[in-house]
Amino acid sequence: MNNQDTGTIIAINGFVLEIEFNGGILPELRYALEYETYQGKYQAEVVELSGVSTVKAVAVGEVSGLSRGDKVRNLNRTIEVPVGQAVLGRMLNVFGDPIDGKPAVQADTKKSIYQNPPKFEDISTEKSVLETGIKVIDLLCPILKGGKVGLFGGAGVGKSVFMKELIYNVGEAGNYSVFAGVGERTREGAALYNELQQDGLLDKTVIMLGQMNESPGVRMRNALSALTVAEHFRDTEKKDILFFVDNVFRFIQAGSEVAALTGKIPITGGYQSTLLQEVGAFQERIASTKNGSITSIQAVFLPADDIDDPSAAAVFSHLDSTITLSRKIASMGIYPAVDPLVSSSRALTPEYLGERHFNLANDVKRILQQYSELQEIINVLGMEELSDEDKNTVYRARRMRNFLSQNFTVSQQYTGRSGDYVKLEDLLDSVEMILSGDVDHIDESKFLYIATVNDIL
């Protein structure tokens, strides 16, 4: 070991290490430093040059067992992960080491987790709509291939299940999927791995897990590791990639923890002052080029169900589609609990969808909005006070609300009902029948969890 590259830990503050390099050259920002505890070898990442001969580094791994006076080694590079075909079908940690009980990944190439976003001239502006087979998404908030989708919702409204269904439905089309579990529960990671294996989708998927019980350094950097794997498939292997992040809030939260430990002054809501820059640097790398596309679906936890939280606001500006899950709709037993009036998509235009789809989507939003407004009158005065036209609107809106529920393949083991993939043409035909009044004679409860109206007829 070169003495110039060796430092000594002089202070430990939570997961932030202060390291002195006497007489040596200080490592650069973002450089990886290797240290060892009784649990094994880990890396820390330089986040601040704090003095003439000292740096502050955030531990990307465990710190129990570390003490002042322990040595660290400057690796003279940033954190790297293995990329390429060798990582497909694997569950890995932030460094690309296996956590699935299988041997180490034998990859020819390793890449830094810090890559530059694509150059302006390389970015592809061609966009097409990605069919998901999920009714409420394909009808009201279509996903653009190569676009960014935000899945917003509080705790327990179904974000993770929704994301797994998207992996299942869209992954079947032969796309590669990269799943970044940021602050995931270990059992959820294991469940996803087993489900993908059973459904035969694991061979085209990489799962990178930074668990909830791990250090903020791991949770901060895990999303970047997974994104590096996805970028390699796009740029080198010229593939279309589905990039799932569950959950962006935990990525932001980890940055906030590190900022607090390094003594940075927080902004509104207690978040780090570098919030917009950190989210922006991550989101700018998720792009489509002339080689291939990265379509990202990002779950965003809403603290206290607050859509105006600064963490949600920081992500909003980067998205093409926002899908908001509502606790009120979930409490009615309607899943997926998407709120159609709050969700939106940039693809909801005649150019992307065609006139028929565009008009039907707007008609659905209109009657759901009218129903929402009439709800207050119904609550106070009852249905009897409404005109016949308003009554028809209410009944059709309720049928439509129930019709947008759907059986998911990934929740089959809990519901006992097999999942439905609904083709767009069948979906539009059903919506047309409900809006035109052709099925006004059928009880609204019959519209729950059917694939198309023909299932009742």
Side-chain angles (χ1 to χ4, degrees):
M1 190 188 288
N2 183 344
N3 281 337
Q4 279 199 332
D5 289 336
T6 308
T8 307
I9 296 174
I10 56 171
I12 301 171
N13 178 17
F15 289 96
V16 174
L17 316 175
E18 191 156 356
I19 300 155
E20 187 169 45
F21 286 83
N22 269 335
I25 300 164
L26 286 185
E28 293 179 27
L29 284 173
R30 293 182 173 173
Y31 266 25
L33 311 174
E34 192 175 66
Y35 65 91
E36 200 165 350
T37 74
Y38 66 89
Q39 299 181 64
K41 282 187 178 176
Y42 296 104
Q43 290 175 25
E45 181 185 281
V46 178
V47 289
E48 191 180 305
L49 306 178
S50 54
V52 179
S53 60
T54 56
V55 299
K56 281 185 180 173
V58 59
V60 187
E62 293 301 324
V63 291
S64 53
L66 266 187
S67 57
R68 284 186 294 181
D70 285 351
K71 300 292 181 191
V72 300
R73 182 164 69 96
N74 177 11
L75 298 178
N76 286 304
R77 59 165 175 80
T78 57
I79 295 169
E80 291 180 344
V81 286
V83 292
Q85 295 284 328
V87 298
L88 287 171
R90 302 300 303 270
M91 184 155 66
L92 309 170
N93 68 8
V94 64
F95 302 115
D97 299 328
I99 48 175
D100 52 10
K102 294 180 184 171
V105 173
Q106 301 298 320
D108 299 332
T109 313
K110 280 192 162 191
K111 281 192 175 172
S112 164
I113 65 168
Y114 293 102
Q115 299 290 327
N116 292 323
K119 291 193 178 110
F120 181 74
E121 61 268 22
D122 294 334
I123 288 179
S124 165
T125 53
E126 284 179 28
K127 291 276 195 289
S128 59
V129 173
L130 197 67
E131 190 175 301
T132 65
I134 299 173
K135 292 186 288 190
V136 67
I137 299 304
D138 289 344
L139 177 66
L140 299 173
C141 6
I143 293 174
L144 284 172
K145 184 180 172 185
K148 297 189 185 100
V149 182
L151 197 54
F152 293 84
V157 290
K159 295 185 299 300
S160 296
V161 173
F162 200 103
M163 198 168 263
K164 284 182 198 167
E165 185 72 4
L166 282 167
I167 294 179
Y168 186 85
N169 284 2
V170 190
E172 292 246 278
N175 301 293
Y176 284 176
S177 300
V178 178
F179 181 89
V182 182
E184 270 287 85
R185 298 169 185 87
T186 314
R187 62 174 171 78
E188 286 183 345
L192 175 66
Y193 181 83
N194 292 330
E195 281 164 19
L196 291 173
Q197 198 166 29
Q198 285 163 14
D199 298 328
L201 294 173
L202 191 61
D203 294 347
K204 291 178 183 168
T205 308
V206 186
I207 302 173
M208 304 208 65
L209 216 54
Q211 287 145 228
M212 201 177 256
N213 62 326
E214 294 190 276
S215 73
V218 171
R219 285 178 275 129
M220 271 173 82
R221 297 298 168 242
N222 189 64
L224 301 184
S225 295
L227 181 51
T228 304
V229 171
E231 286 170 325
H232 176 83
F233 285 134
R234 176 195 67 194
D235 299 335
T236 309
E237 313 212 0
K238 298 181 170 43
K239 293 280 185 186
D240 290 329
I241 308 301
L242 293 166
F243 180 56
F244 297 88
V245 189
D246 190 7
N247 175 318
V248 176
F249 175 76
R250 306 264 179 242
F251 167 75
I252 292 170
Q253 192 180 41
S256 173
E257 288 173 46
V258 171
L261 288 169
T262 51
K264 291 193 172 71
I265 297 166
I267 54 162
T268 317
Y271 293 101
Q272 62 273 40
S273 53
T274 51
L275 172 66
L276 293 175
Q277 184 269 332
E278 282 174 17
V279 172
F282 175 62
Q283 298 286 357
E284 282 298 298
R285 287 171 58 183
I286 305 171
S288 296
T289 68
K290 287 159 182 147
N291 291 326
S293 67
I294 296 181
T295 307
S296 79
I297 291 110
Q298 308 172 24
V300 185
F301 168 72
L302 297 176
D305 292 358
D306 180 13
I307 198 81
D308 297 320
D309 190 81
S311 60
V315 180
F316 259 127
S317 57
H318 296 279
L319 302 173
D320 297 303
S321 307
T322 57
I323 299 166
T324 306
L325 300 177
S326 153
R327 197 171 298 284
K328 185 180 168 192
I329 293 172
S331 67
M332 294 178 196
I334 295 172
Y335 289 96
V338 174
D339 187 336
L341 299 177
V342 185
S343 306
S344 64
S345 169
R346 203 160 58 84
L348 200 61
T349 63
E351 297 89 270
Y352 285 121
L353 305 176
E355 289 289 342
R356 180 190 179 212
H357 184 168
F358 174 70
N359 291 334
L360 283 173
N362 277 335
D363 289 345
V364 168
K365 286 203 167 191
R366 180 177 48 77
I367 71 155
L368 291 173
Q369 181 62 46
Q370 285 173 336
Y371 172 52
S372 170
E373 289 161 6
L374 290 168
Q375 192 71 51
E376 291 180 29
I377 299 171
I378 297 166
N379 291 344
V380 177
L381 301 173
M383 283 287 284
E384 294 70 35
E385 296 303 313
L386 299 182
S387 67
D388 288 345
E389 190 183 337
D390 283 348
K391 281 179 187 171
N392 273 338
T393 300
V394 168
Y395 293 136
R396 283 173 197 170
R398 283 180 183 167
R399 285 185 179 87
M400 184 58 69
R401 179 195 68 195
N402 290 355
F403 173 69
L404 292 177
S405 64
Q406 190 166 349
N407 290 316
F408 277 3
T409 305
V410 294
S411 52
Q412 191 172 326
Q413 57 187 343
Y414 309 112
T415 61
R417 299 188 295 255
S418 57
D420 297 317
Y421 182 104
V422 182
K423 290 197 162 55
L424 185 61
E425 202 52 44
D426 298 338
L427 168 62
L428 297 181
D429 290 344
S430 292
V431 168
E432 217 161 36
M433 289 167 84
I434 295 170
L435 291 176
S436 64
D438 290 353
V439 288
D440 280 0
H441 60 287
I442 298 173
D443 186 78
E444 65 190 51
S445 64
K446 296 268 196 289
F447 288 81
L448 277 165
Y449 296 105
I450 57 168
T452 64
V453 169
N454 287 331
D455 291 1
I456 320 174
L457 299 175

